[in-house]
Amino acid sequence: MASTIGDLGEFGLIARVTARFPETDDVILGPGDDAAVVGAPDRRVVATMDVLVEGAHFRRDWSAARDVGHKAVAQNCADVEAMGARPTALLIGLAVPGDLPVAWVDGFTEGVRAECAAAGAAVVGGDTVRSERIAVSVTALGSLDGGRAVTRSGARAGDSVAVTGPLGLSAAGMELLASGVEEEAVEKAGARAALDEHRRPGPPYGAGPRAARAGATAMLDVSDGLLQDLGHIAEASGVAVDVRRSALAPPPGLAEAAALLAGYGHRREAADYMLAGGEDHALAAAFPPGAVPAGWAVIGEIREGRGVTVDGRAPAPSGWDHFG
Amino acid sequence: MASTIGDLGEFGLIARVTARFPETDDVILGPGDDAAVVGAPDRRVVATMDVLVEGAHFRRDWSAARDVGHKAVAQNCADVEAMGARPTALLIGLAVPGDLPVAWVDGFTEGVRAECAAAGAAVVGGDTVRSERIAVSVTALGSLDGGRAVTRSGARAGDSVAVTGPLGLSAAGMELLASGVEEEAVEKAGARAALDEHRRPGPPYGAGPRAARAGATAMLDVSDGLLQDLGHIAEASGVAVDVRRSALAPPPGLAEAAALLAGYGHRREAADYMLAGGEDHALAAAFPPGAVPAGWAVIGEIREGRGVTVDGRAPAPSGWDHFG
């Protein structure tokens, strides 16, 4: 029986990865040919791609293979949702070392399958190649189902700024892992959610299309840190964004994680993680006043001007740059 | 001025890669938001992904950055053509070392731009990340424009097997590079086309949709070697494929390359490269007798049975497996 990818071979690996992915009504022709054919009911397709590299975006000692599969799918589907679209199909490129245990690929595949089920999307294709480190590239396709694409550029002064999905937990979780805090201590402190969210961010599926229907004027997925991402809306829309720090209600476990991290020299409050932490894959959007749908928390407003402020003041530098 | 990718930073790199890509009529929303929106005129989108890794799929000492850009786009667009579709949009994931000269990215981008222009496709998105080795993942989208998707599974006994596009040159070109033959000697021998085709495979753009309209019953792009790829048609269609060796007309430069390589211990005829060489990105298809369109060379026929034969006999093992 094959125990490493090298034993399995390229075609064996492809067969193993694509096997047992359920198809959906959006799939006209699934994996196995030169290309797939996916439905685009309103004559438009939303498309986005992210690449995850071992070391930079995940560590095998911090995340199980299944977590990496979940995360790779989640962060791409969050980008589709952020346009106001519904994820329909994914293509997955998997670059793996020849000595990688087949069990890793099986775990990864299971994570992909489970997250696809949560997102309502199907895997329709991909590629497998050999490389020294694991790298995963995911393309997600989506359908606007006749609705409006919500870009970053439509925010207007007077709009409310709102978020849905947990903020700050992923960054706190990464800091817990980087600080070497034992999982038992995390559990005991009630901060388990931070590790979970770092390993398997859970985008609020369905919230994107609902926000579009509610009249969102601008929307994006929070991947680089809330303030940095709101800066993209400010710039694209030609407006200023002001965030009210007191409006940031920490998700369960975040205050506990911050308190635990204080003992490891990280003296930041829960709100700091919410403002600057990355890889949340929550959604942030601007809505006309009164149009904010249920499930979204208003955290600030759009004003005339430019840039992002917190309580009217310039925030400290934040966010991260993978090349910095 | 930034001279390496590390100097440029992630957002600088994205801006540099996406700048100056011309848009096309298929692009509804181009790069710069969470996702792009691409037209799908007949409510279907064709989608395929390939990953190229430095060392396995290209070498920086054998291929210029611009060549890699051409090749990454060409091999994906060939997959779209092989469905009978027209390439419309690409997403490009670029994983690069921090110490990579910016000039490499500029060259790569220029190759992508030029090949997209040849294919009629636009770059609508992508991602850039840091990695130790260069890896390029490309997703190509396409439109069937109301036509039929040509899969691998429709070939019927009595169909003609035909190819369009140069076969064998890419593999011969790689062997010339691997054998350390000086470019001057290649030039002098009249085998330049082999190096060119290895570095920049030129799929026969437009031939895929024309073949679909002509009634192609099965089609694929020749990427793993003609015999191996015809084996995919045989298996998917439940038929046998017989190739007539005498029908394989070597493209200009291939016989010259084979003759030159004979001096380096590679005793193969031009037809051997055509049968077993990979990365051609020509198209192979089955057509009902009499339906083979202009520009295609008939090289064999579909029969009852299974497997692939050459002049009725089993061929030697061929093709390659990146994990083998």
Side-chain angles (χ1 to χ4, degrees):
Chain A
M1 210 179 117
S3 61
T4 70
I5 296 305
D7 300 334
L8 203 59
E10 183 180 0
F11 290 104
L13 180 59
I14 290 172
R16 199 164 184 115
V17 171
T18 55
R20 290 186 317 245
F21 280 126
E23 296 205 344
T24 66
D25 291 347
D26 297 303
V27 180
I28 297 168
L29 179 69
D33 221 291
D34 289 71
V37 184
V38 178
D42 67 2
R43 303 179 197 274
R44 295 174 297 172
V45 61
V46 169
T48 183
M49 175 192 274
D50 270 327
V51 182
L52 288 81
V53 176
E54 183 181 5
H57 302 90
F58 65 89
R59 285 174 49 161
R60 265 193 271 173
D61 53 341
W62 290 359
S63 295
R66 190 175 163 145
D67 296 331
V68 178
H70 272 277
K71 183 173 172 168
V73 172
Q75 72 179 53
N76 277 278
C77 289
D79 282 326
V80 171
E81 289 269 342
M83 301 306 293
R86 170 178 64 86
T88 54
L90 285 97
L91 298 106
I92 299 188
L94 189 55
V96 289
D99 63 357
L100 186 73
V102 169
W104 195 94
V105 174
D106 287 344
F108 171 81
T109 304
E110 182 50 30
V112 166
R113 196 204 55 72
E115 192 69 25
C116 277
V123 174
V124 296
D127 192 14
T128 61
V129 299
R130 185 149 63 172
S131 77
E132 280 168 42
R133 291 204 174 197
I134 302 173
V136 182
S137 59
V138 178
T139 290
L141 305 180
S143 173
L144 290 158
D145 293 330
R148 202 167 38 88
V150 183
T151 65
R152 300 172 174 189
S153 61
R156 296 292 168 261
D159 283 354
S160 297
V161 176
V163 296
T164 188
L167 286 173
L169 283 171
S170 178
M174 194 175 74
E175 235 166 59
L176 287 167
L177 290 164
S179 303
V181 185
E182 296 285 340
E183 300 225 5
E184 206 181 312
V186 174
E187 193 85 56
K188 206 170 149 192
R192 174 93 232 158
L195 295 183
D196 291 347
E197 197 64 28
H198 173 70
R199 290 176 174 142
R200 297 187 189 178
Y205 293 121
R210 280 196 297 273
R213 287 193 296 273
T217 54
M219 183 155 55
L220 45 59
D221 116 278
V222 182
S223 54
D224 295 317
L226 179 62
L227 292 178
Q228 186 168 331
D229 286 319
L230 290 177
H232 298 318
I233 286 183
E235 193 180 340
S237 298
V239 296
V241 177
D242 186 58
V243 175
R244 271 182 296 117
R245 190 175 169 101
S246 63
L248 297 168
L254 182 57
E256 292 81 353
L260 187 55
L261 282 162
Y264 289 80
H266 299 287
R267 307 196 174 282
R268 300 160 88 186
E269 297 175 8
D272 296 320
Y273 289 98
M274 298 181 72
L275 289 167
E279 304 197 331
D280 299 303
H281 303 300
L283 298 177
F287 295 93
V292 181
W296 290 72
V298 175
I299 59 157
E301 63 174 20
I302 303 292
R303 297 179 179 173
E304 305 279 356
R306 53 186 296 180
V308 179
T309 51
V310 178
D311 297 329
R313 287 191 300 272
S318 70
W320 49 51
D321 177 330
H322 291 302
F323 290 99
Chain B
M1 211 180 117
S3 63
T4 72
I5 297 305
D7 300 335
L8 204 58
E10 184 180 0
F11 290 104
L13 179 59
I14 291 172
R16 198 166 183 113
V17 171
T18 56
R20 290 185 317 246
F21 280 126
E23 297 205 344
T24 65
D25 291 347
D26 296 303
V27 180
I28 298 168
L29 179 70
D33 221 290
D34 289 70
V37 185
V38 178
D42 67 1
R43 305 180 197 271
R44 296 173 297 172
V45 62
V46 169
T48 183
M49 176 192 273
D50 269 329
V51 182
L52 288 81
V53 176
E54 182 180 5
H57 303 90
F58 66 90
R59 286 175 48 162
R60 265 192 269 173
D61 53 339
W62 289 0
S63 295
R66 189 172 164 147
D67 296 329
V68 178
H70 271 278
K71 183 172 173 169
V73 172
Q75 72 179 54
N76 277 278
C77 288
D79 282 326
V80 171
E81 289 270 341
M83 301 306 294
R86 169 178 65 85
T88 54
L90 287 98
L91 297 105
I92 300 188
L94 189 56
V96 289
D99 63 357
L100 186 73
V102 169
W104 195 94
V105 174
D106 287 344
F108 171 81
T109 304
E110 182 49 31
V112 167
R113 197 202 55 73
E115 192 69 24
C116 277
V123 174
V124 296
D127 193 13
T128 61
V129 299
R130 185 149 63 173
S131 77
E132 279 167 42
R133 291 202 175 198
I134 301 173
V136 182
S137 59
V138 178
T139 290
L141 305 180
S143 173
L144 289 158
D145 293 331
R148 204 167 38 88
V150 183
T151 66
R152 301 171 173 189
S153 61
R156 296 290 169 260
D159 284 353
S160 298
V161 176
V163 294
T164 186
L167 286 173
L169 282 171
S170 177
M174 194 174 74
E175 234 168 58
L176 287 168
L177 290 165
S179 303
V181 186
E182 296 284 341
E183 299 224 6
E184 207 181 309
V186 175
E187 192 84 55
K188 205 169 151 192
R192 172 93 234 160
L195 295 183
D196 291 347
E197 198 64 28
H198 174 70
R199 291 175 174 144
R200 298 188 188 178
Y205 293 121
R210 281 195 298 273
R213 287 192 296 272
T217 54
M219 183 157 54
L220 44 58
D221 118 277
V222 182
S223 53
D224 295 318
L226 179 62
L227 291 178
Q228 187 167 331
D229 285 319
L230 289 176
H232 297 318
I233 285 182
E235 193 181 339
S237 297
V239 297
V241 177
D242 186 58
V243 175
R244 271 181 295 117
R245 190 176 169 101
S246 63
L248 297 168
L254 182 56
E256 292 81 354
L260 186 55
L261 281 162
Y264 289 79
H266 299 285
R267 307 198 174 281
R268 300 159 89 185
E269 295 176 9
D272 296 319
Y273 290 98
M274 297 180 72
L275 289 167
E279 304 198 329
D280 299 302
H281 305 300
L283 297 176
F287 295 93
V292 180
W296 290 73
V298 175
I299 59 158
E301 63 173 22
I302 303 292
R303 297 179 179 175
E304 306 277 357
R306 52 187 297 181
V308 180
T309 51
V310 178
D311 297 329
R313 287 191 299 272
S318 68
W320 47 49
D321 178 330
H322 292 300
F323 291 99

